[in-house]
Amino acid sequence: LGLNIGSALRNLTQGVNTYAKLGEKNTILGYLDLLKKGSQELYDAQVLDDTIIQDRNIHVVKGLLEKLDRGLFVFFDTAEKINRGSAYYGAKRLALSKGMSEGQAIEFAKRIVRETQFAFGSVDAPLALSSDLMKSFFQFHTINIKQIEFLKNMIVNKELGGLLRFVGASLVVFGSIGKLFGMVIKDIIPTIRIGGTPVGGLFSSIPG
């Protein structure tokens, strides 16, 4: 993952989750606000504290290795800031437009960030993947599991408009620039594979 520009750019496609939740206007305004306002408010609101970057927990001692670790992950870290920052600012705008107070809007925005860009702290990790060894081995499976949960929740909550936006945006992204990173249309719905065998599924636990 470190210094892998392709992985970082692929991670940016997670913006389709933000679009699914917020729609065109607030998603675009979220990206624009991120450009104008920067990331300081994101740190103040602690929306960057539970990213996969913060939780990777690589076993380095101190000093040079820690600095090297931060340098190696600069591209992926930047992609995470873009994803979370646009979701935060877009959701905050939406909340304020609905008459929420500043404090309420910030809490709403933080919730949308967790829903669309996920939380990766130990509290949020699936129990089976909670150990350091399992987190390291199944790092990308954790992302897929959370993406499946995101889509499942939209289905359960009957968020038809959001699902249509997700599918439409994913078809555009995966069918165009996604090809540069080896993404294919069937990847719209992620699967978990162990030894080439898919494990679990999007619809397996949706109430009938």
Side-chain angles (χ1 to χ4, degrees):
L1 192 59
L3 286 183
N4 190 330
I5 298 177
S7 293
L9 293 175
R10 184 184 179 111
N11 188 44
L12 285 174
T13 63
Q14 203 165 302
V16 300
N17 289 356
T18 301
Y19 172 64
K21 281 286 185 179
L22 301 182
E24 293 85 354
K25 177 183 176 181
N26 290 299
T27 299
I28 293 172
L29 291 175
Y31 283 108
L32 293 176
D33 280 349
L34 177 61
L35 285 174
K36 290 188 294 184
K37 299 179 179 180
S39 59
Q40 185 56 53
E41 185 174 344
L42 306 180
Y43 287 106
D44 292 341
Q46 299 181 319
V47 298
L48 297 176
D49 289 350
D50 58 0
T51 69
I52 194 169
I53 297 300
Q54 298 295 330
D55 189 57
R56 63 183 181 272
N57 197 18
I58 293 176
H59 297 288
V60 295
V61 184
K62 294 185 191 176
L64 179 61
L65 289 179
E66 290 181 332
K67 292 178 182 177
L68 177 62
D69 182 43
R70 288 194 295 270
L72 288 174
F73 280 82
V74 64
F75 297 127
F76 203 86
D77 194 25
T78 299
E80 280 287 283
K81 288 178 181 177
I82 293 172
N83 285 341
R84 289 169 176 266
S86 57
Y88 172 85
Y89 284 121
K92 184 179 176 182
R93 271 187 174 269
L94 175 61
L96 291 173
S97 71
K98 291 184 175 182
M100 294 187 192
S101 67
E102 179 79 8
Q104 290 172 329
I106 289 174
E107 290 304 312
F108 175 80
K110 290 167 68 173
R111 178 170 65 81
I112 292 298
V113 171
R114 288 193 297 271
E115 288 181 5
T116 61
Q117 307 307 318
F118 316 137
F120 291 94
S122 57
V123 174
D124 304 282
L127 182 60
L129 308 183
S130 60
S131 71
D132 289 343
L133 176 63
M134 293 299 285
K135 281 192 293 186
S136 298
F137 191 73
F138 288 105
Q139 182 183 64
F140 297 105
H141 287 322
T142 303
I143 296 175
N144 284 344
I145 289 170
K146 289 178 178 290
Q147 184 66 32
I148 289 171
E149 290 174 347
F150 170 76
L151 294 173
K152 185 182 295 184
N153 287 338
M154 293 191 76
I155 293 172
V156 171
N157 295 330
K158 297 180 172 59
E159 298 179 48
L160 179 59
L163 286 167
L164 290 175
R165 286 193 295 270
F166 175 85
V167 172
S170 295
L171 287 173
V172 172
V173 171
F174 284 39
S176 55
I177 61 172
K179 291 181 178 179
L180 300 176
F181 317 124
M183 302 172 77
V184 293
I185 298 298
K186 67 182 178 64
D187 291 334
I188 291 176
I189 299 179
T191 56
I192 311 302
R193 291 179 176 272
I194 299 177
T197 303
V199 179
L202 176 61
F203 306 101
S204 59
S205 61
I206 296 176

